[in-house]
Amino acid sequence: LVSWTRFKSDEKFHLSGYMRCFMERLGHQLKTYEVMDGRKLVNYQCVVVRQEWEQLRTSFYQAFKVQKAAYRHANGGTSTPSLVADAAPRFALREFSCCAQPQGIKTVVRKTFIDLDEDSDDSADCLKRSNSTGEVMTLYFV
């Protein structure tokens, strides 16, 4: 790592985007996720596959140490952001309603089950639980 560039995003800061960008600049690919078990994490947390993180963490922390020094030099002060692994997930309050039952979807209640009319594709954008079989961990900035 020979230079530091301030991270700029067109949107609100999300750790998942920051981590992907940071690792890409180091020449690595890291898959990050903002959703865990179908629930959106707060913007300063993300989920990564533990095996991928264990392979890349040494490279990350070496570069992150340089980045922290550059951040402190550019912004002053005595503290810098830190990254914590294996943190308890914190979930965002629902800012979206994509999982709310759409108007016009046909529901039929039979005994204790709800049958949904599956012809409707209104729930295509709904956050779903991943089919990942790998062990995951959460990362977050403090």
Side-chain angles (χ1 to χ4, degrees):
L1 185 68
V2 288
S3 67
W4 174 71
T5 305
R6 186 175 298 275
F7 178 72
K8 293 183 181 175
S9 175
D10 295 334
E11 300 175 8
K12 186 177 178 181
F13 175 84
H14 289 276
L15 181 58
S16 61
Y18 172 83
M19 291 296 294
R20 276 192 308 272
C21 179
F22 193 92
M23 296 308 289
E24 284 172 6
R25 291 191 181 190
L26 295 176
H28 303 292
Q29 294 292 318
L30 178 66
K31 294 177 187 168
T32 63
Y33 306 91
E34 296 179 7
V35 175
M36 182 178 205
D37 294 332
R39 297 174 64 192
K40 187 167 177 40
L41 292 165
V42 291
N43 62 334
Y44 55 87
Q45 280 191 326
C46 71
V47 176
V48 296
V49 175
R50 183 177 302 277
Q51 183 179 358
E52 288 181 30
W53 176 247
E54 303 222 349
Q55 291 173 352
L56 299 174
R57 73 176 174 197
T58 301
S59 178
F60 170 80
Y61 281 119
Q62 288 173 347
F64 195 59
K65 183 177 179 181
V66 173
Q67 187 270 342
K68 287 171 65 167
Y71 176 93
R72 201 148 120 210
H73 179 74
N75 296 307
T78 58
S79 64
T80 59
S82 296
L83 189 77
V84 176
D86 277 333
R90 297 194 59 174
F91 298 104
L93 298 175
R94 284 200 172 234
E95 299 174 1
F96 52 89
S97 60
C98 72
C99 292
Q101 184 175 345
Q103 299 287 338
I105 193 168
K106 182 181 174 187
T107 59
V108 179
V109 178
R110 294 189 180 125
K111 297 186 181 181
T112 59
F113 297 95
I114 298 177
D115 293 329
L116 299 177
D117 182 10
E118 294 184 20
D119 294 337
S120 175
D121 195 21
D122 292 337
S123 63
D125 294 331
C126 185
L127 300 174
K128 294 184 172 51
R129 187 178 183 132
S130 72
N131 293 329
S132 172
T133 57
E135 186 178 346
V136 297
M137 60 187 292
T138 54
L139 302 173
Y140 79 99
F141 267 139
V142 291

